[in-house]
């Protein structure tokens, strides 16, 4: 689509080569609370390696997410 700021790129060929990390704020429970969903997903397979609702994204919540992925999946390699 013309003028789009995102360019399509091929997915990585092997699992663990690139992980996507995202935190999305939303009223997940349909009330006044606005929690954030932290998600870590593999680029090659779209498999979700980690997902957790937190009150607010922080260095601590992100490091907890990454350490859990390393503990359960092993080291990843982002090129």
């Amino acid at each position: 689509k013309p003028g789009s700021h995102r360019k399509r790129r091929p997915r990585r060929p092997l699992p663990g080569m690139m992980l996507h990390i995202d935190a999305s704020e939303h009223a997940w429970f349909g009330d006044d609370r606005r929690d954030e969903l932290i998600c870590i997903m593999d680029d090659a397979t779209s498999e979700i390696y980690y997902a957790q609702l937190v009150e607010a994204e922080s260095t601590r919540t992100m490091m907890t997410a990454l350490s859990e992925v390393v503990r359960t999946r092993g080291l990843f390699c982002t090129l």
Side-chain angles (χ1 to χ4, degrees), residues 19-67:
L19 303 181
H20 295 285
I21 302 174
D22 184 40
S24 303
E25 183 183 8
H26 185 69
W28 297 102
F29 301 106
D31 55 19
D32 291 338
R33 294 177 289 175
R34 295 198 58 88
D35 293 329
E36 294 194 39
L37 176 64
I38 295 175
C39 181
I40 299 179
M41 184 178 81
D42 186 88
D43 181 70
T45 64
S46 295
E47 182 179 355
I48 296 173
Y49 286 175
Y50 180 90
Q52 180 74 41
L53 279 172
V54 296
E55 286 185 25
E57 176 187 357
S58 67
T59 301
R60 181 179 300 272
T61 59
M62 287 299 184
M63 293 306 288
T64 299
L66 283 171
S67 66

